Every structure is written in C-alpha cells, then in structure tokens.
Amino acid sequence: MTEAWRCFVAVPLGDGLRASLATAVAAWRQQPPADRLRWAEPEAWHLTLAFLGPIEPGTIPSVIAAIEGVAVQSPVTTVATAWLGAFHRPGSARVLWYGVADPAGRLAALAADLAGAIGLPAGEPFRPHVTLARARHASVDLRGWIEAASSSAPAGTLVVDRIDLMRSHLGRGPARYETLAAVDLGGAG
C-alpha cells in the first residue's frame, strides 16, 4: 500500500511581502514572550486555502484538475495585510499569525469553491492568515505583546494570482513543503 501524502492548497507570498515580514519577524522572535514560540522559516510562509490532509498519491491528478477548474473561474485579486493575531486567543496562544484582510469575501469564496471542487467536508469558517509561529508545548500568553508588535508589522499587499497544491513533509525539525502544482488564476499570466 502506498503511503498517503499530507497535502493542502495555498497562496504563495510575494517576494516583497515575504522580505518585509522576515525583517519584522527577526526582531519579534527575540522578544519575550514571543521567544517561547517555534517560528516557521520565511520560505514556508503561505496562506492556506484548503487543507486536504492525507491523500493517496494516485488522486493527485484529479485534485489538480479540480484546482484548475476553480482557478480558471477565479479572478486575480489583491488583499491587504498588516496585523498580528493568535489562535485561539492572545491570552492562550497556540498559533501566532499575520493577518490578511478579505473585506469583499473573495478569499473565502475561493476557499469554499476549492473545498467543493475537491470534495472536502464543510469545516470551520475561513479566516485568512499566514502562520508565523506555534507554541512549543504549552500555550503562550501574548496579550500586550501582540498589540505592541502589530505596530511594527509590515503593511503590505498579497497578490492572489496563483494557487499551489502543496505536500507537507513532517519529521524531525520544521515541516518542509513541496509544490506539486502551481496554477494561475483566471486572467493571471
């Protein structure tokens, strides 16, 4: 039996936004209490649209076809980024994230269209974000720190013109991501 692959669909960050965010993160990761977090490497940052979980490698072509079907109908969009937050809440943070605005609901619609096309069950409401760090063991109280750090968060834009099918490689150390397919949105390229 073939080993299942852990996959997700994501929007990659542009180089400019990634560089600005990396500069800010370099300072934040040394500051208490954020120094108690396990920080993701900048090349791993992305905006997840759909988490597929473990799937059989033989289904990858049909998943790519579903993604392409959604992408061709989806317009290129640009969204604002600029603040920090935490799941489940700042007082007991397990995940520190960088916020992505979606006032028109275009990202939520894209995520819903992908979930429907791929056949994913309905999940929690879509909350666009880029995961920056996770708690090492116990949750971390980031109240106060998040507000202060948000003032130095880079205000930027995320151009959503491509979506990637990604595979996670887990094991010792940070997760590594492999791009299985990169699909331009309608009107891109």
Side-chain angles (χ1 to χ4, degrees), residues 112-175:
D113 290 347
L114 285 165
I118 296 169
L120 300 174
E124 295 182 20
F126 180 70
R127 296 196 286 181
H129 67 279
V130 176
T131 297
L132 298 177
R134 296 182 181 278
R136 292 183 190 278
H137 302 290
S139 60
V140 178
D141 185 348
L142 296 176
R143 288 176 295 187
W145 182 87
I146 284 180
E147 292 80 15
S150 283
S151 68
S152 62
T157 56
L158 175 61
V159 177
V160 182
D161 60 356
R162 186 182 99 203
I163 51 180
D164 295 344
L165 175 61
M166 306 294 293
R167 178 181 178 195
S168 296
H169 295 275
L170 305 176
R172 294 189 171 222

Side-chain angles (χ1 to χ4, degrees), residues 17-110:
L17 177 59
R18 187 179 309 276
S20 297
L21 191 53
T23 298
V25 165
W28 296 336
R29 65 189 309 161
Q30 306 305 318
Q31 299 171 357
D35 59 345
R36 296 178 26 219
L37 299 171
R38 184 180 71 241
W39 291 82
E41 294 301 320
E43 60 272 6
W45 294 336
H46 59 272
L47 169 74
T48 300
L49 292 170
F51 179 69
L52 284 63
I55 63 173
E56 294 299 320
T59 65
I60 296 294
S62 63
V63 170
I64 293 170
I67 293 168
E68 290 171 340
V70 169
V72 73
Q73 300 297 321
S74 301
V76 172
T77 190
T78 301
V79 292
T81 61
W83 67 97
L84 300 177
F87 293 136
H88 291 287
R89 60 186 186 277
S92 60
R94 300 287 304 157
V95 173
L96 173 69
W97 50 258
Y98 179 63
V100 177
D102 189 24
R106 289 187 179 150
L107 292 174
L110 179 57

